[in-house]
Structures are given as C-alpha cells and as structure tokens.
Amino acid sequence: MYLAVNGALSGVIAVADPVKDDSKAAIARLHAIGLKVVMLTGDQLATARAVAEQVGVDEVIAEVLPQDKAAKVAALQQRGEIVGMVGDGINDAPALAQANVGFAIGTGTDVAMESADVTLMRGSLHGVADAIAVSRATVRNIKQNLFGAFIYNLLGIPVAAGILYPMFGVLLNPMIAGAAMAMSSVTVVSNANRLRAFRAQVST
C-alpha cells in the first residue's frame, strides 16, 4: 500500500498476513530433516523478505501472479529440485499439481485438496513435517519387512529343497516349514504394527 500526500509519495505501508505462532518451529523441523524452504508469494518483495527473516525461510520468490505459481514450481524442478508445494487456495491448485508432492492445508479450498497428493488435517506447517516423518518411517518399515522376508526365504527354501540332505541327511519337516512361513508373516505384521505407535518428534 502506498501513502501519497498532495501528490507526493510520502511513505510505504507494508501489509501482510499475520505469521502463525508455530511457523518458525515448523520450519526449523523442516530444516532439521534436510529440507530447503522457499516462500512463493504474491506479496511485495520487501514484505515477503521481512516475513521470511522472521520465520527462517531460505529463499523468497515474491510478487508472483496467481497464474504463474505453477511456472515457478516448474522452474525449481528444472534446477534439479524435488519440490513439495504447500497451499490452501484455488490459485495454488495448479502449483500443487505441478509439484512432485502437493500438500493441501485441510482448512483450505476443495480445489486445492483435489489437486494435492496429501491433505493435512490441520492448518499448520507442522503437518508437513509430520507427513514426511511418517512417510520415512513407513518406507523404513517396508525395507525391514522385505529384509526379514528375504532372510526367511533365503534360509528356508534351500533347506526345504534338501540342500542339507547330501551332507547331513537333514530334511525339513513340512510342519516346521509351515511354522517358519507363519512366523515370517507374524514378524512382518508385528513390525508393520509398530507404526501405530509412531509419534513425530516436535521441535520447540
């Protein structure tokens, strides 16, 4: 907003949306897991930089028209970045669809939620950090399950096929083989159920 008196420019008043109380802590969590945070906004550059400095944003792309947001996301991708876009408005929908992963704020518009890959249940950036933490824990759990199943099969199948019989005269009893396969399933399911107790670590 520009303030003019008698036709002369006397000053500039910067107007910005209030920063949420937990934004700085949420961005600190994103930094802690190795992410770079970029602010993509239609606000004036000076206003955007002031907010970015307040909450710890790494890069500011300001004065972006609503229809140009998707192009800015594409430009980041062309730089080799894997982009996660967070938005809540109708104007954010194309950028959410363009991003590698789109995060829609659950308190936002239906169009944004339809365009995004993930809908956050609360209007906080902590939800982004939580979603990433859960996804990483899930992938880690899947790898553990695959490793466990591989070990069971690596040991069980050759023995069941009689690999030990020529040297030791040992054959795997079908009951033992069935029990081993059941234990394999129990191990995988039990390990997967550990995710029910997962709690994201919140920085203060």
Side-chain angles (χ1 to χ4, degrees), residues 29-169:
R29 286 183 64 194
L30 295 174
H31 285 153
I33 59 179
L35 300 183
K36 177 182 179 180
V37 180
V38 178
M39 177 189 291
L40 182 62
T41 177
D43 291 341
Q44 292 184 351
L45 182 58
T47 302
R49 282 180 174 172
V51 174
E53 184 176 351
Q54 181 180 349
V55 298
V57 169
D58 300 298
E59 181 180 344
V60 175
I61 303 175
E63 302 176 8
V64 180
L65 296 176
Q67 63 269 24
D68 293 336
K69 286 187 176 181
K72 295 296 183 182
V73 171
L76 290 172
Q77 291 171 324
Q78 290 172 1
R79 282 165 37 180
E81 306 283 359
I82 298 175
V83 180
M85 170 72 185
V86 184
D88 61 357
I90 295 174
N91 294 330
D92 295 324
L96 289 168
Q98 173 65 41
N100 296 92
V101 181
F103 296 90
I105 301 297
T107 54
T109 63
D110 291 339
V111 175
M113 288 186 278
E114 287 292 334
S115 302
D117 302 290
V118 179
T119 298
L120 306 175
M121 300 306 295
R122 53 179 174 154
S124 169
L125 288 178
H126 277 294
V128 179
D130 290 343
I132 294 172
V134 169
S135 67
R136 289 183 173 179
T138 301
V139 170
R140 186 165 55 247
N141 190 281
I142 290 171
K143 290 180 178 179
Q144 292 168 353
N145 289 341
L146 288 173
F147 178 77
F150 177 76
I151 292 298
Y152 269 105
N153 286 286
L154 181 66
L155 297 178
I157 290 176
V159 175
I163 192 173
L164 299 179
Y165 185 77
M167 293 179 289
F168 304 103

